[in-house]
Every structure is written in structure tokens, then in C-alpha cells.
Amino acid sequence: MSARFYVVGGAVRDALLGLPASDRDWVVVGSTPQELVAAGFRPVGRDFPVFLHPETGEEVALARTERKSAPGYRGFTIHADPSVTLEEDLLRRDLTINAIARAEDGTLVDPHGGQRDLQARVLRHVSEAFVEDPVRLLRLARLAARFTDFTVAPETEALLERLVADGEVDALVPERVWQELSRGLMEARPSRMFEILRRCGALARLLPELDRLWGVPQPPEHHPEVDCGVHTMLVLDMAARLQAPLTVRWACLMHDLGKGTTPAEVLPRHLGHEGRSAVLAQAVAERWRVPNPCRELADLVAREHGNIHRSAEFGAAAVVRLLERCDAFRRPERFAEALLACECDARGRTGHEDRPYPPRERLAALLEAARGVDTAAVAAAAAARGAKGPQIAAAIQLARADAVGAAL
């Protein structure tokens, strides 16, 4: 087989940046599907010719060109045959820093100045074809959240705006949106992803509930940063700083959506925003098919974050009711994540970044005290006194309140 193999994309980029090796993607030039199969490669590509290496399991794709034929990221006609050159394949890629190839002997092929842009810390599109695939907008925003010292080239910013204006963003399917959002949320500074989406107008199309938070004021005595959108980004970056899991980061993103619907005449106060936030978070979850663990924690945090913040004012019985509403007795791990999200909320405020958050440790300890109650014994004793279902539940609640009171 006269084929030539090249590593392309993120693995080359990350190696040049001195970052840990990522999964390697390969392009093969001068071959056919039949030749690869004969050599033991296993075909897996549904939309274009992709194969798994028989020994390493790494993905190998035939060099190909693409022609836009319909809206959305699937609207392409693929052409792959031995005549397609490496340079033609690299031309269809999104960013210059992702359009560098490395031959098996280590030689770099960089026709679009990717190494120059790596040194200059710039995210720049390869060609005008960038606007043909709306997923590229999301991917660029995600990379900005990972490479926090990179800027977006002005001409690329203009293409992002064109993608939105031409309606390509509206053709995105939920699976791809969630895939990119969830990956971006786990990057070093996730707020950068949303800042870029907002600047080009994509956030208003994808997450209008979030986009409308910018410009909405909050009381400065509680929120020195004042702006609700700015606060949400501070909370999100605090979640990244505390290395929170995806569920917590999604809850942080969703927790204050209701503040965007507060009537103007009552601003800067936001009475009842918790319930409105929960409703809006559920609508977002439905639109983008957010996985249940993320949507459930977002709902819980939206509804209860105010009560968790104020829980030092609660007596023992009120603490137990809060724990019950949070389903903390059945799902203590999820409650721990809710407490972490609330810490991010409390510390995601200008000047509060390094302040302690006592409710997290306090409520975790009170939950353990309440869980120490032998509920089977309490239920049996209540039943022996003739109590029925609701009375037995009340007896358990009272016993837990006594345990919390003792711990307080």
C-alpha cells in the first residue's frame, strides 16, 4: 500500500504547546477504503470514510474534501479518493492551529500558519468555509475556554457573527450543542465560552434565558459585581476553580435564570426568582436534551440555593424540612453537590472569592446527625402506639429534628 499517514488536529497542536498528549487522529493520503480494509483496518464512519487501526485502535480517515449542500453541520457532500491531497484535506479544517499535520518521520506540514498562530496565541479560521459548519462556532468557543490566553482573530469574530446572521446556528441539533457545551463547561475558564457566544449573538439563539441576564442589576450590598450575567460567569469560573463536576457546573450556569424575568419595577430585588429559575432551567434541559443528573441538580439548586444560604437562621425542624425537600436522606451525594454549587454561588461575587462558606460544612454535618437516627426503630415504636403512615412520618421527622437540635 503506497498510502502516507499523518497525525492531524488536536494531538499535533497540543504537542506543539507542550501539553499532555491527546488522542491521535490520523489522515491517510493516497489510499482507498478497499486497501485499508485489506490491510486490517475496520470501517466505522457512517458519514465519511473512517477506520480503526488494527493494532492501536486509533481513528484513521481518508483525506477528503467537503462541499456545502444543505443547512447545518450534516449538510455536506464528502469526496474522498486517492487523488485528494493532504493540503486539500487541511484546507477544510476549522482553525489554523488544528490544521497542522505531522508525518510519520516527524515532519510538520503547516500550509495555513498554524504554528505562527500558536506562538501568537490566536484562534483564526482556515478559510471562508468556516461559516458552513455551525458546530465550528461552538468548538472555537470551547477552545477559548481551554486556552485562556488565546484571543479570537477579528476576521474570525466577523465570521462568527455571519454564522448567526445566516441562521446556521438555528440548524444545530441538540446532541451536538450539548456535547460542545458540556465539554466547554469542563474547561479551565468556562466563562470565556459564553462570552464569545454572547459577543457574536449565538447565546441569544441557543440560551436566551442566560443571555438576558446581562444588564439586569442586583443589590450591590449582596452582589458587588451588580450585573446578573457577570455574577453567573463568576460563579461558573469558581466552579472550575474548585474542580467541580459537570453536574455542579451546569447547576451554577442555570441557578439564577429567573432573575432575567424579574419585572423592571421591582429591580434590583428578585423576590421569587428561585422558582422561576427552576422552570426556565427545565425548559433549557428539554431543548438541549440535558442528561438527568445535570437537570435534576440544576432544578434542586435553583429552588433551594437561597434557603441553603440562609440555613444558619433555621431551627432544627426547618433544617430537617430543607433536607427533606432536597431528598438528602435518599441522595446524600447529590446534596453534597448542591452544597458545592451553593458555595460557588456565594464565592462567585466580586471580593468574596476567598471567603469561607460555612453552610456547606454545617449542613453536611447536620445531615449526618439526622441520618444517624434509627428510623426503623422510631417507626416501629410509633406503630406500636397505633400510629399510621403520616403519623409515623411525623415521628421520624421529629426524631431527626431532635438529632439536628443536639448537633446544633
Side-chain angles (χ1 to χ4, degrees), residues 46-392:
R46 183 180 66 177
D47 300 318
F48 45 80
V50 177
F51 303 81
L52 297 183
H53 192 285
E55 296 174 7
T56 67
E58 293 175 319
E59 284 196 359
V60 176
L62 286 176
R64 63 187 188 271
T65 59
E66 297 172 344
R67 182 174 56 81
K68 187 71 169 173
S69 55
Y73 81 99
R74 287 189 180 277
F76 291 92
T77 300
I78 306 296
H79 173 68
D81 68 33
S83 68
V84 177
T85 67
L86 176 64
E87 288 72 19
E88 287 174 322
D89 182 274
L90 294 175
L91 182 62
R92 68 174 179 78
R93 296 180 180 271
D94 54 358
L95 302 174
T96 60
I97 64 171
N98 294 332
I100 309 169
R102 187 177 68 236
E104 292 181 278
D105 64 1
T107 303
L108 293 177
V109 181
D110 181 17
H112 305 292
Q115 294 174 88
R116 177 199 63 219
D117 284 340
L118 282 176
Q119 292 172 352
R121 296 296 195 260
V122 172
L123 300 173
R124 189 190 315 275
H125 63 282
V126 169
S127 74
E128 288 282 313
F130 185 95
V131 298
E132 296 176 351
D133 184 355
V135 173
R136 290 175 169 177
L137 187 157
L138 293 173
R139 193 178 299 125
L140 181 148
R142 170 170 61 81
L143 285 176
R146 178 186 302 177
F147 301 127
T148 57
D149 58 343
F150 277 60
T151 60
V152 181
E155 62 270 28
T156 303
E157 289 260 16
L159 288 190
L160 299 182
E161 294 173 7
R162 242 178 76 189
L163 261 169
V164 176
D166 291 348
E168 283 286 341
V169 170
D170 302 324
L172 285 164
V173 299
E175 291 80 6
R176 291 309 302 270
V177 172
W178 173 250
Q179 180 184 54
E180 295 299 329
L181 287 180
S182 61
R183 292 175 70 183
L185 283 168
M186 296 306 296
E187 299 291 4
R189 206 166 108 207
S191 65
R192 292 200 78 208
M193 174 171 66
F194 297 99
E195 289 165 5
I196 286 173
L197 294 178
R198 180 169 170 261
R199 279 208 307 265
C200 70
L203 192 63
R205 309 292 275 269
L206 300 173
L207 292 168
E209 303 88 348
L210 179 65
D211 185 70
R212 68 168 68 105
L213 291 180
W214 274 268
V216 176
Q218 305 176 91
E221 61 270 24
H222 301 303
H223 289 276
E225 69 284 348
V226 179
D227 188 286
C228 290
V230 172
H231 166 63
T232 299
M233 294 298 101
L234 291 173
V235 174
L236 187 56
D237 284 346
M238 181 57 65
R241 174 179 162 182
L242 298 181
Q243 299 183 313
L246 176 62
T247 46
V248 171
R249 299 189 193 202
W250 182 251
C252 288
L253 190 68
M254 296 286 104
H255 82 286
D256 266 353
L257 294 183
K259 290 181 177 179
T261 62
T262 299
E265 61 269 18
V266 302
L267 292 174
R269 302 181 71 201
H270 294 276
L271 294 175
H273 79 276
E274 295 90 349
R276 299 196 304 275
S277 297
V279 171
L280 291 169
Q282 288 289 3
V284 172
E286 287 295 323
R287 183 188 316 137
W288 300 123
R289 300 180 191 171
V290 176
N292 283 337
C294 288
R295 72 166 69 192
E296 289 173 1
L297 186 67
D299 181 74
L300 170 58
V301 172
R303 292 184 185 280
E304 298 293 347
H305 66 276
N307 290 322
I308 289 173
H309 291 331
R310 293 188 295 270
S311 60
E313 306 166 11
F314 294 178
V319 168
V320 171
R321 290 194 296 272
L322 172 62
L323 295 175
E324 289 175 340
R325 289 197 307 276
C326 294
D327 203 13
F329 296 106
R330 284 195 323 120
R331 304 183 66 178
E333 298 84 3
R334 189 183 68 174
F335 184 61
E337 291 190 343
L339 294 178
L340 176 55
C342 289
E343 177 172 350
C344 296
D345 180 30
R347 294 172 61 184
R349 308 170 197 221
T350 302
H352 292 233
E353 296 86 355
D354 296 310
R355 292 191 182 182
Y357 183 65
R360 183 181 173 192
E361 185 176 339
R362 180 175 179 273
L363 284 174
L366 294 180
L367 173 61
E368 284 307 301
R371 292 184 75 213
V373 171
D374 187 343
T375 55
V378 173
R385 297 192 302 268
K388 302 298 182 185
Q391 292 86 8
I392 291 174

Side-chain angles (χ1 to χ4, degrees), residues 1-53:
M1 192 166 58
S2 60
R4 300 181 304 283
F5 289 78
Y6 300 87
V7 181
V8 294
V12 181
R13 175 199 68 215
D14 291 349
L16 290 171
L17 288 171
L19 298 174
S22 55
D23 292 338
R24 294 189 302 178
D25 292 321
W26 294 79
V27 160
V28 57
V29 178
S31 187
T32 66
Q34 295 76 18
E35 288 177 337
L36 289 176
V37 170
F41 289 79
R42 183 161 59 89
V44 292
R46 183 180 66 177
D47 300 318
F48 45 80
V50 177
F51 303 81
L52 297 183
H53 192 285

